[in-house]
Amino acid sequence: EGMDGASDQTRQLGFRGLVDLLREGFDKGVTVWDTADSYGTHAHIREALKGLPREKVTVITKTNATTESQMRDDLDRFRRELDTDYIDIVLLHYIQNGNWTEERKGAMEALAEATEKGTVKMRGLSSHSFDAMKVAASDPWSQVQLARINLAGDRHMEGPPEKVLGVLREAKAHGKAVIGMKVLGEGDLISRIDDCYRFILSNSDAVDAFVVGMVSRTQLDDNIRRIAAAGKQA
């Protein structure tokens, strides 16, 4: 969990600990790093990127900007904080209703401009309501959708799994990249972890990739092993 400039990783690992975990993850093939302005980890990622081939790491971050000027300021600051010429994916953070295309119009225009210039490679949103997710599935502005999906479909999702998967398949049909989150139900489904991974990997027609939070080398190694095994069974 991350908010207000901190996350489980920053609290439990400290600066050097998180940098080391990111570097170890890279060495073991974990090359998609998901963060947000509110997580307070841009500096950690900047340090972890030092000496690595930039094109080998996909950095995802998120912004709460609503206006054009706020988005411009955020993107400039994000690139300074990350010390990178470009950011792979920038998402509108925590979108909770279907009116986001109007509410974030100014921010969307500035982010579209950044993708045209190449300072951002792809743009999209993290959806936290069914309406937001449904609109994003077909809206031409959105290129990437970070969506809550797991086998339980309880409070950590926008509805029953098949209903959510249907919308995500629609997004894929419109050429969107779909990234799953909350695949372990914010930890509530940890007792069913292997089932969770088999579920998400067996729905590759709806989900291209997924993110999982980790706070230790033990968790890193365990997740790599479990996901590899689940992939063979999916």
Side-chain angles (χ1 to χ4, degrees):
E1 286 296 295
M3 62 181 66
D4 299 327
S7 68
D8 289 347
Q9 288 77 18
T10 61
R11 287 185 289 263
Q12 295 185 38
L13 295 172
F15 186 81
R16 194 71 245 170
L18 179 49
V19 170
D20 290 347
L21 187 63
L22 288 166
R23 294 296 292 262
E24 181 158 352
F26 176 86
D27 291 341
K28 293 178 177 177
V30 180
T31 59
V32 177
W33 297 353
D34 176 57
T35 187
D37 189 24
S38 58
Y39 299 172
T41 50
H42 283 172
H44 306 72
I45 288 177
R46 178 186 66 221
E47 183 66 21
L49 284 172
K50 287 182 179 178
L52 297 183
R54 176 66 184 88
E55 71 280 1
K56 299 290 187 184
V57 181
T58 298
V59 176
I60 304 170
T61 193
K62 311 176 194 80
T63 170
N64 293 313
T66 58
T67 67
E68 187 173 354
S69 62
Q70 287 172 348
M71 179 63 79
R72 290 180 190 277
D73 289 346
D74 272 4
L75 294 179
D76 287 345
R77 175 169 58 84
F78 290 0
R79 285 191 296 130
R80 288 197 305 272
E81 291 175 349
L82 293 162
D83 192 22
T84 182
D85 293 332
Y86 67 91
I87 304 171
D88 299 277
I89 300 172
V90 174
L91 306 176
L92 303 177
H93 200 180
Y94 201 66
I95 303 301
Q96 299 182 71
N97 63 64
N99 298 324
W100 60 270
T101 55
E102 288 302 319
E103 292 179 353
R104 305 287 180 111
K105 188 173 182 179
M108 291 166 64
E109 290 174 353
L111 187 48
E113 181 182 275
T115 56
E116 289 164 10
K117 290 181 177 178
T119 52
V120 173
K121 298 299 184 184
M122 297 182 76
R123 61 182 183 262
L125 72 155
S126 64
S127 54
H128 286 257
S129 79
F130 185 82
D131 288 345
M133 181 175 62
K134 181 70 174 174
V135 170
S138 59
D139 186 84
W141 177 89
S142 175
Q143 300 170 324
V144 180
Q145 185 160 4
L146 182 63
R148 301 193 291 185
I149 177 67
N150 61 57
L151 55 77
D154 59 5
R155 63 185 177 88
H156 301 300
M157 272 172 60
E158 276 52 78
E162 279 307 316
K163 184 178 180 182
V164 173
L165 287 169
V167 177
L168 299 184
R169 291 187 184 106
E170 181 185 342
K172 291 277 292 168
H174 281 94
K176 318 295 186 182
V178 177
I179 304 171
M181 61 174 165
K182 314 299 185 187
V183 298
L184 302 179
E186 295 186 11
D188 289 356
L189 301 173
I190 200 72
S191 64
R192 303 177 64 190
I193 185 170
D194 294 322
D195 290 338
C196 288
Y197 287 151
R198 279 192 292 270
F199 169 80
I200 202 73
L201 291 167
S202 67
N203 284 289
S204 58
D205 63 326
V207 182
D208 295 296
F210 59 94
V211 295
V212 179
M214 292 174 273
V215 294
S216 69
R217 179 181 289 111
T218 299
Q219 288 184 358
L220 172 67
D221 291 340
D222 186 57
N223 277 300
I224 289 172
R225 178 182 61 79
R226 288 179 185 274
I227 292 168
K232 293 176 182 177
Q233 299 167 7

